[in-house]
Amino acid sequence: CNEEETLDERVEGALLALNEAIAQNNAMQASYTNAAQTLYELQRAAESELEDLKHRHWLWIDEIATFESNKREIKVAAAELSRISHALLVASEEEATADEALGVQKQLRETMSRDDADGWEAMKVVKQQLRARRDSARARVSKLSSEQRHYSNEVSRLTEKVLSMSYNIGSAFENALPFLSVKQSYIEKQQEQHLELVQQLERAEEAKARVRDAMRTLEEISMEIHEQRRRKDSSRSSEDADADDCEASFLDPSSTCAELPTAAGSDEVAGHQPAVLAA
């Protein structure tokens, strides 16, 4: 009886823990839904307000956008110019090295004997290889030089354009300030709401994990109770079977389960011998 009560208390505790976990999970899910709805409403309201301001200040907004776009293009063109300039330097050095090697090889040929057929053949192969390397480097130099001029001109053009626009860009920023202020405020609020949404989602996942843990604990307790009851029922069945066997021994003198007296009225027991009745 005490064991059953203890097990019942464990089940009751597990059920309470499961109910609490479910309640927390529901609360976290509701909080996440509210945060998502708040972010959605913020986006809708901000988009509507920004669209209205954009229609009223589109001229200055476009000017600012063009200005910022040109600045980004300058960075891209400058980076490409730097890359091409480095590649051009490498190709130029390879061309100069190949030219120098060809000059050295020419001097060696002048000192060689006309009778050295194998040497002349080897020099011919080396010369062809050096010329191929020089010509390849020279072609790269030509191509890279053209690209370098292009990007150099592009950087200069964009820089002049940005400098020209910079004289009036201040007034454009001032006129577009209502739109820019609302946009910046919206970006900051959106970041805050997004962070809150992520945190709510993490808490919701933790609550789900607690529900799964509570359900697993309850399942383990239930399985343990079931196993204990199965063993108890099995033990009872075995005891009942033993009792039936002993009862049957009184009807069967050949059974060794019961110990009967050797003679009627005798106070002594002679081991496990079957009873001998007086004639």
Coordinates of all heavy atoms in Angstrom, one line a residue, residues 161-200:
K161 N 32.3 64.1 -60.2 CA 30.9 64.2 -60.1 C 30.4 64.3 -58.6 O 29.6 65.1 -58.3 CB 30.2 62.9 -60.7 CG 28.7 63.0 -60.8 CD 28.2 61.8 -61.6 CE 26.7 61.9 -61.7 NZ 26.1 60.7 -62.5
V162 N 31.1 63.5 -57.7 CA 30.8 63.6 -56.3 C 31.2 64.9 -55.7 O 30.4 65.5 -54.9 CB 31.5 62.4 -55.6 CG1 31.4 62.7 -54.0 CG2 30.8 61.1 -55.9
L163 N 32.3 65.4 -56.1 CA 32.7 66.8 -55.7 C 31.8 67.8 -56.1 O 31.5 68.8 -55.4 CB 34.2 67.1 -56.1 CG 35.3 66.2 -55.5 CD1 36.6 66.5 -56.2 CD2 35.4 66.5 -54.0
S164 N 31.3 67.7 -57.3 CA 30.4 68.7 -57.9 C 29.0 68.7 -57.1 O 28.5 69.7 -56.8 CB 30.1 68.5 -59.4 OG 29.2 69.3 -59.9
M165 N 28.6 67.5 -56.8 CA 27.3 67.3 -56.1 C 27.5 67.7 -54.6 O 26.5 68.1 -54.0 CB 26.8 65.9 -56.2 CG 26.4 65.4 -57.6 SD 25.8 63.7 -57.6 CE 24.3 64.0 -56.6
S166 N 28.7 67.6 -54.1 CA 28.8 67.8 -52.6 C 28.6 69.3 -52.3 O 28.3 69.6 -51.1 CB 30.3 67.5 -52.2 OG 31.2 68.3 -52.9
Y167 N 28.6 70.2 -53.2 CA 28.4 71.6 -52.9 C 26.9 71.8 -52.6 O 26.6 72.7 -51.8 CB 28.8 72.5 -54.1 CG 30.3 72.5 -54.4 CD1 30.8 71.9 -55.5 CD2 31.1 73.2 -53.5 CE1 32.1 71.9 -55.8 CE2 32.5 73.2 -53.8 CZ 33.0 72.5 -54.9 OH 34.4 72.5 -55.1
N168 N 26.0 71.0 -53.2 CA 24.6 71.2 -52.9 C 23.9 70.1 -52.1 O 22.8 70.2 -51.9 CB 23.8 71.4 -54.3 CG 24.3 72.5 -55.1 OD1 24.6 73.6 -54.5 ND2 24.5 72.4 -56.4
I169 N 24.7 69.1 -51.8 CA 24.1 67.9 -51.1 C 23.7 68.3 -49.7 O 22.8 67.6 -49.2 CB 25.2 66.8 -51.1 CG1 24.4 65.4 -50.9 CG2 26.2 67.0 -50.1 CD1 23.5 65.1 -52.0
G170 N 24.3 69.3 -49.2 CA 23.9 69.7 -47.8 C 22.4 70.1 -47.8 O 21.7 69.7 -46.9
S171 N 22.0 70.9 -48.8 CA 20.7 71.4 -48.8 C 19.7 70.3 -49.1 O 18.6 70.2 -48.6 CB 20.5 72.5 -49.9 OG 20.9 72.0 -51.2
A172 N 20.2 69.3 -49.9 CA 19.3 68.1 -50.2 C 19.1 67.3 -48.9 O 17.9 66.9 -48.7 CB 20.0 67.2 -51.3
F173 N 20.1 67.1 -48.1 CA 19.9 66.4 -46.9 C 19.0 67.2 -45.9 O 18.2 66.6 -45.2 CB 21.3 66.2 -46.2 CG 22.0 65.0 -46.6 CD1 23.1 65.0 -47.5 CD2 21.6 63.7 -46.1 CE1 23.7 63.9 -47.9 CE2 22.3 62.6 -46.5 CZ 23.3 62.7 -47.4
E174 N 19.1 68.5 -45.9 CA 18.3 69.3 -45.1 C 16.8 69.2 -45.5 O 15.9 69.1 -44.7 CB 18.8 70.8 -45.1 CG 18.0 71.7 -44.2 CD 18.5 73.1 -44.2 OE1 19.6 73.3 -44.8 OE2 17.9 74.0 -43.6
N175 N 16.6 69.3 -46.8 CA 15.2 69.3 -47.3 C 14.6 67.9 -47.1 O 13.4 67.7 -46.9 CB 15.1 69.6 -48.8 CG 15.4 71.1 -49.0 OD1 15.0 72.0 -48.2 ND2 16.2 71.5 -50.0
A176 N 15.4 66.8 -47.2 CA 14.9 65.5 -47.0 C 15.0 65.0 -45.6 O 14.7 63.8 -45.3 CB 15.7 64.5 -47.9
L177 N 15.3 65.9 -44.7 CA 15.5 65.5 -43.3 C 14.2 64.8 -42.7 O 14.4 63.8 -41.9 CB 15.8 66.7 -42.4 CG 16.2 66.4 -41.0 CD1 17.4 65.4 -40.9 CD2 16.6 67.7 -40.2
P178 N 13.0 65.3 -42.9 CA 11.8 64.6 -42.4 C 11.8 63.1 -42.8 O 11.5 62.2 -41.9 CB 10.6 65.3 -43.0 CG 11.2 66.7 -43.2 CD 12.6 66.5 -43.7
F179 N 12.0 62.8 -44.0 CA 12.1 61.4 -44.5 C 13.2 60.6 -43.9 O 13.0 59.5 -43.4 CB 12.2 61.4 -46.0 CG 12.5 60.0 -46.6 CD1 11.4 59.1 -46.8 CD2 13.8 59.6 -46.9 CE1 11.7 57.9 -47.3 CE2 14.0 58.4 -47.4 CZ 13.0 57.5 -47.6
L180 N 14.4 61.2 -43.9 CA 15.6 60.5 -43.3 C 15.4 60.3 -41.8 O 15.9 59.2 -41.4 CB 16.8 61.4 -43.6 CG 17.2 61.6 -45.1 CD1 18.4 62.6 -45.2 CD2 17.5 60.3 -45.8
S181 N 14.8 61.2 -41.1 CA 14.7 61.0 -39.6 C 13.7 59.8 -39.4 O 14.0 59.0 -38.5 CB 14.1 62.3 -39.0 OG 15.0 63.3 -39.2
V182 N 12.6 59.8 -40.1 CA 11.6 58.7 -39.9 C 12.2 57.4 -40.3 O 12.0 56.4 -39.6 CB 10.3 59.0 -40.7 CG1 9.4 57.8 -40.7 CG2 9.6 60.2 -40.1
K183 N 13.0 57.4 -41.4 CA 13.6 56.2 -41.8 C 14.6 55.6 -40.8 O 14.6 54.4 -40.5 CB 14.3 56.4 -43.2 CG 14.9 55.2 -43.8 CD 15.5 55.4 -45.1 CE 16.1 54.2 -45.7 NZ 16.8 54.4 -47.1
Q184 N 15.4 56.5 -40.3 CA 16.4 56.1 -39.3 C 15.7 55.6 -38.0 O 16.1 54.6 -37.5 CB 17.3 57.3 -38.9 CG 18.4 56.9 -37.9 CD 19.4 55.9 -38.5 OE1 19.6 55.7 -39.6 NE2 19.9 55.1 -37.5
S185 N 14.7 56.3 -37.6 CA 13.9 55.8 -36.4 C 13.3 54.5 -36.7 O 13.3 53.6 -35.8 CB 12.8 56.9 -36.1 OG 12.1 56.4 -35.0
Y186 N 12.8 54.3 -37.8 CA 12.2 53.0 -38.2 C 13.2 51.9 -38.2 O 12.9 50.8 -37.7 CB 11.5 53.1 -39.6 CG 11.2 51.8 -40.2 CD1 10.3 50.9 -39.6 CD2 11.9 51.4 -41.3 CE1 10.1 49.7 -40.2 CE2 11.7 50.2 -41.9 CZ 10.8 49.3 -41.4 OH 10.5 48.1 -41.9
I187 N 14.4 52.2 -38.7 CA 15.4 51.1 -38.7 C 15.8 50.7 -37.3 O 16.0 49.5 -37.0 CB 16.6 51.7 -39.5 CG1 16.3 51.8 -41.0 CG2 17.8 50.7 -39.3 CD1 17.4 52.5 -41.8
E188 N 16.0 51.7 -36.4 CA 16.3 51.4 -35.1 C 15.2 50.6 -34.4 O 15.5 49.6 -33.7 CB 16.6 52.7 -34.3 CG 17.8 53.4 -34.8 CD 18.0 54.8 -34.1 OE1 17.1 55.2 -33.3 OE2 19.0 55.5 -34.4
K189 N 14.0 51.0 -34.5 CA 12.9 50.3 -33.9 C 12.8 48.9 -34.5 O 12.5 47.9 -33.7 CB 11.6 51.0 -34.1 CG 11.5 52.3 -33.3 CD 10.1 53.0 -33.5 CE 10.0 54.3 -32.7 NZ 8.7 55.0 -32.9
Q190 N 13.0 48.7 -35.8 CA 12.9 47.4 -36.4 C 14.0 46.5 -35.8 O 13.7 45.3 -35.6 CB 13.1 47.6 -37.9 CG 12.9 46.3 -38.7 CD 13.2 46.4 -40.1 OE1 14.1 47.1 -40.5 NE2 12.3 45.8 -41.0
Q191 N 15.2 47.0 -35.6 CA 16.2 46.2 -35.1 C 15.9 45.8 -33.7 O 16.1 44.6 -33.3 CB 17.6 47.0 -35.1 CG 18.1 47.2 -36.5 CD 19.3 48.1 -36.5 OE1 19.6 48.8 -35.5 NE2 20.1 48.2 -37.6
E192 N 15.3 46.7 -32.9 CA 14.9 46.4 -31.5 C 13.9 45.3 -31.5 O 13.9 44.3 -30.7 CB 14.4 47.6 -30.8 CG 15.5 48.6 -30.5 CD 15.0 49.9 -29.9 OE1 13.7 50.0 -29.7 OE2 15.8 50.8 -29.6
Q193 N 12.8 45.5 -32.3 CA 11.8 44.5 -32.4 C 12.2 43.2 -32.9 O 11.8 42.1 -32.4 CB 10.6 45.0 -33.3 CG 9.9 46.2 -32.7 CD 9.1 45.8 -31.4 OE1 8.6 44.7 -31.3 NE2 9.0 46.7 -30.5
H194 N 13.1 43.2 -33.9 CA 13.6 41.9 -34.4 C 14.4 41.2 -33.3 O 14.3 39.9 -33.2 CB 14.5 42.2 -35.6 CG 15.1 41.0 -36.2 ND1 14.4 40.1 -36.9 CD2 16.4 40.5 -36.2 CE1 15.1 39.0 -37.3 NE2 16.4 39.3 -36.9
L195 N 15.2 41.9 -32.5 CA 16.0 41.3 -31.4 C 15.0 40.7 -30.4 O 15.2 39.6 -29.9 CB 16.9 42.3 -30.8 CG 17.7 41.8 -29.6 CD1 18.6 40.7 -30.0 CD2 18.5 43.0 -29.0
E196 N 14.0 41.5 -30.1 CA 13.0 41.0 -29.1 C 12.3 39.7 -29.7 O 12.0 38.8 -28.9 CB 11.9 42.0 -28.9 CG 10.8 41.6 -28.0 CD 11.2 41.3 -26.6 OE1 12.3 41.7 -26.1 OE2 10.4 40.6 -25.9
L197 N 12.0 39.7 -31.0 CA 11.4 38.5 -31.6 C 12.3 37.3 -31.5 O 11.8 36.2 -31.2 CB 11.0 38.9 -33.0 CG 10.2 37.8 -33.8 CD1 8.8 37.7 -33.2 CD2 10.1 38.2 -35.3
V198 N 13.6 37.5 -31.7 CA 14.5 36.4 -31.6 C 14.6 35.9 -30.2 O 14.6 34.6 -30.0 CB 15.9 36.8 -32.1 CG1 17.0 35.8 -31.8 CG2 15.9 37.2 -33.6
Q199 N 14.6 36.8 -29.2 CA 14.6 36.3 -27.8 C 13.4 35.6 -27.5 O 13.4 34.6 -26.7 CB 14.8 37.6 -26.9 CG 16.2 38.2 -27.1 CD 16.3 39.5 -26.3 OE1 15.3 40.1 -25.9 NE2 17.6 40.0 -26.2
Q200 N 12.2 36.1 -27.9 CA 11.0 35.4 -27.6 C 10.9 34.0 -28.3 O 10.4 33.0 -27.6 CB 9.8 36.2 -28.2 CG 9.5 37.5 -27.4 CD 8.9 37.3 -26.0 OE1 8.6 36.1 -25.7 NE2 8.7 38.3 -25.3

